[in-house]
Amino acid sequence: MGVKVYWRENCGECKIVMKYFEQKQIDIDKIDVTYDKERFEEMLRLGGIATPLIVIGHQVFHSFNRLKIDKALEDIYGQVVVSKPN
């Protein structure tokens, strides 16, 4: 289990998502699909048609919804993961 983020260059929302996980001190598997056809097809198989595509455990998120993602993180880590202050 863990967290995967499928992203691509020049994706503003992708940068926001990665910053979100960084603030929560959660390691993520960053999968760049910009030029990697095999990884892009992997993302498509998961139902993704755009980036960012976020996979937490067995849950797939097609958009960045903080409440749903916080809940999924809570399910995996067993507690609420609070963002660290800047």
Side-chain angles (χ1 to χ4, degrees), residues 4-70:
K4 294 181 183 180
V5 176
Y6 292 82
W7 68 282
R8 64 178 173 76
E9 292 178 2
N10 303 315
C11 170
E13 189 76 4
C14 297
K15 292 174 186 172
I16 292 168
V17 167
M18 288 193 256
K19 176 93 172 161
Y20 165 84
F21 286 112
E22 180 183 308
Q23 288 175 336
K24 289 188 171 288
Q25 298 180 329
I26 295 174
D27 291 328
I28 61 173
D29 185 9
K30 299 174 188 173
I31 302 169
D32 183 355
V33 298
T34 307
Y35 304 108
D36 189 332
K37 183 179 178 183
E38 189 174 305
R39 298 307 287 246
F40 181 77
E41 288 174 358
E42 177 182 307
M43 182 184 84
L44 293 176
R45 284 191 299 275
L46 291 168
I49 58 171
T51 56
L53 180 76
I54 305 159
V55 180
I56 302 174
H58 300 292
Q59 298 180 61
V60 178
F61 298 89
H62 301 277
S63 62
F64 182 49
N65 181 315
R66 289 176 195 261
L67 294 176
K68 289 181 180 180
I69 290 175
D70 282 345

